[in-house]
C-alpha cells in the first residue's frame, strides 16, 4: 500500500585530490522516495472493473559529481616545444578551490492501469536544479593559462513525461502491444558562472555567424548571431570612417 525508500552515498573522487593542498575529495548525496498504491484501499474495490491499478509517487534526490579530467586542482606543466624547450604552464590553469557540483531533483507522478491492464498511463513532472556547475572559463593570457575550471552558474530544467501503453488485440496466439511517448523539457540559465554576462562553448562559429551562447534567462540550447545595421529601405549602413558595414 505505502512504500518508502531512502538511500545515502558518500563518494570520493581522485580528480578533487591534491598533493599541495588539504582538499576534501569526498562529498555526500542521497535520495528519498514514496509511493502509494491507492487502489489497494477497500474504497476503490468497486472501481476495479475499469481501474485495475493506481499508484501515486514522489521522489527527491541529490547527486554530485567532480571534474571528469585530472590535474585541475594542482598546477600542471607540459613540455614546451618552442625555442629553448623546458616546461611551461598547461593551457588549463589550476584551481585549488574547485568543488563538486550538485543537482537536486524533485519528481511527482503516477501510474494508472485500466480495463484489466489493457491501457496503462504513466505521467511524471520533474524539476532539476543544478548549482556550482564545473565549467571551463576563459582567462586573460597574463595569468599564464587560457582556460580554468571553476564552480558557478545555476541551471533549472523542468518538464513532463507521459507514456501511454495499450493492448488493442489480445488473443490466444496473437498479442498486439503499442507504446506512445511524449516528453517536454525546458532548461533555463538562472545564474552565470562568476557573474559573467555571457558564456559561449567555443571560439568557433557553428555556421556563418551563429554559435552556441547562453546568458541569464536563456535556454541552455540557445544560439546567437549578429546582424548588420540597415536603414528603413533595407540597405546596409556603411561606416564613413572604416568603409565596413556597421
Amino acid at each position: 500500500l505505502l512504500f518508502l525508500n531512502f538511500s545515502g552515498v558518500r563518494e570520493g573522487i581522485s580528480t578533487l585530490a591534491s598533493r599541495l593542498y588539504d582538499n576534501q575529495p569526498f562529498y555526500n548525496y542521497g535520495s528519498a522516495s514514496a509511493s502509494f498504491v491507492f487502489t489497494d484501499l477497500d474504497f476503490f474495490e468497486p472501481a476495479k472493473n475499469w481501474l485495475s491499478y493506481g499508484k501515486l509517487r514522489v521522489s527527491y534526490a541529490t547527486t554530485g559529481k567532480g571534474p571528469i579530467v585530472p590535474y585541475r586542482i594542482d598546477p600542471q606543466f607540459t613540455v614546451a616545444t618552442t625555442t629553448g624547450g623546458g616546461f611551461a604552464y598547461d593551457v588549463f590553469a589550476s584551481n585549488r578551490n574547485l568543488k563538486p557540483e550538485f543537482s537536486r531533483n524533485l519528481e511527482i507522478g503516477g501510474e494508472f492501469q485500466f480495463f484489466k491492464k489493457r491501457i496503462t498511463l504513466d505521467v511524471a513532472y520533474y524539476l532539476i536544479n543544478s548549482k556550482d556547475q564545473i565549467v571551463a572559463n576563459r582567462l586573460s593570457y597574463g595569468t599564464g593559462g587560457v582556460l580554468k575550471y571553476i564552480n558557478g552558474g545555476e541551471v533549472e530544467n523542468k518538464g513532463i513525461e507521459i507514456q501511454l501503453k495499450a493492448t488493442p488485440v489480445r488473443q490466444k496466439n496473437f498479442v498486439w502491444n503499442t507504446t506512445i511517448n511524449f516528453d517536454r523539457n525546458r532548461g533555463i540559465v538562472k545564474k552565470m558562472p562568476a557573474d559573467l554576462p555571457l558564456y559561449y562553448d567555443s571560439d568557433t562559429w557553428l555556421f556563418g555567424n551563429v554559435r552556441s551562447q547562453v546568458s541569464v534567462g536563456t535556454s541552455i540550447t540557445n544560439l546567437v548571431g549578429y546582424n548588420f545595421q540597415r536603414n528603413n529601405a533595407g540597405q546596409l549602413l556603411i561606416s564613413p570612417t572604416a568603409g565596413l558595414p556597421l
Side-chain angles (χ1 to χ4, degrees):
L1 182 63
L2 179 64
F3 301 89
L4 301 174
N5 290 284
F6 301 93
S7 68
V9 178
R10 180 169 175 80
E11 184 171 317
I13 182 168
S14 61
T15 54
L16 285 175
S18 170
R19 296 183 60 185
L20 304 178
Y21 312 111
D22 186 21
N23 281 23
Q24 173 60 264
F26 298 96
Y27 50 94
N28 306 314
Y29 55 91
S31 66
S33 64
S35 60
F36 175 55
V37 184
F38 59 87
T39 48
D40 285 349
L41 297 173
D42 294 338
F43 176 79
F44 286 94
E45 194 63 32
K48 285 292 183 71
N49 59 335
W50 64 273
L51 181 59
S52 308
Y53 179 82
K55 179 175 71 174
L56 300 176
R57 64 179 185 269
V58 60
S59 65
Y60 177 80
T62 60
T63 56
K65 68 176 183 179
I68 60 174
V69 288
Y71 312 120
R72 296 297 175 255
I73 307 297
D74 297 339
Q76 180 183 3
F77 294 92
T78 56
V79 176
T81 58
T82 54
T83 302
F87 294 87
Y89 279 122
D90 189 48
V91 172
F92 288 91
S94 61
N95 182 5
R96 62 175 297 182
N97 297 316
L98 196 64
K99 59 184 180 180
E101 67 174 74
F102 284 94
S103 295
R104 295 167 176 82
N105 184 348
L106 173 66
E107 181 176 314
I108 301 173
E111 180 183 350
F112 312 93
Q113 298 178 356
F114 305 93
F115 307 113
K116 297 181 180 180
K117 301 183 180 182
R118 295 289 290 267
I119 299 175
T120 300
L121 177 65
D122 194 300
V123 182
Y125 169 82
Y126 62 86
L127 176 64
I128 304 174
N129 183 272
S130 302
K131 299 182 67 175
D132 293 328
Q133 292 183 306
I134 299 175
V135 296
N137 186 37
R138 273 278 178 179
L139 296 176
S140 165
Y141 290 159
T143 62
V146 180
L147 296 168
K148 179 180 180 179
Y149 278 93
I150 63 172
N151 291 103
E154 180 180 346
V155 174
E156 180 183 89
N157 282 277
K158 57 183 176 181
I160 186 172
E161 297 177 343
I162 302 175
Q163 183 181 77
L164 178 64
K165 295 181 179 180
T167 306
V169 179
R170 182 187 291 168
Q171 297 181 352
K172 182 178 180 180
N173 298 318
F174 179 78
V175 177
W176 174 20
N177 295 319
T178 183
T179 301
I180 300 174
N181 293 303
F182 171 82
D183 64 87
R184 179 181 184 271
N185 178 78
R186 291 293 181 267
I188 300 296
V189 178
K190 309 293 287 186
K191 184 180 179 182
M192 294 292 293
D195 294 324
L196 294 171
L198 53 89
Y199 181 88
Y200 55 89
D201 290 337
S202 172
D203 291 331
T204 305
W205 297 95
L206 301 179
F207 181 80
N209 65 342
V210 177
R211 69 180 176 187
S212 174
Q213 178 178 297
V214 298
S215 57
V216 174
T218 64
S219 168
I220 57 177
T221 58
N222 193 50
L223 295 176
V224 301
Y226 59 85
N227 283 325
F228 295 118
Q229 298 182 35
R230 298 176 181 270
N231 58 22
N232 293 333
Q235 299 170 322
L236 284 174
L237 298 181
I238 306 299
S239 170
T241 55
L244 298 173
L246 296 173

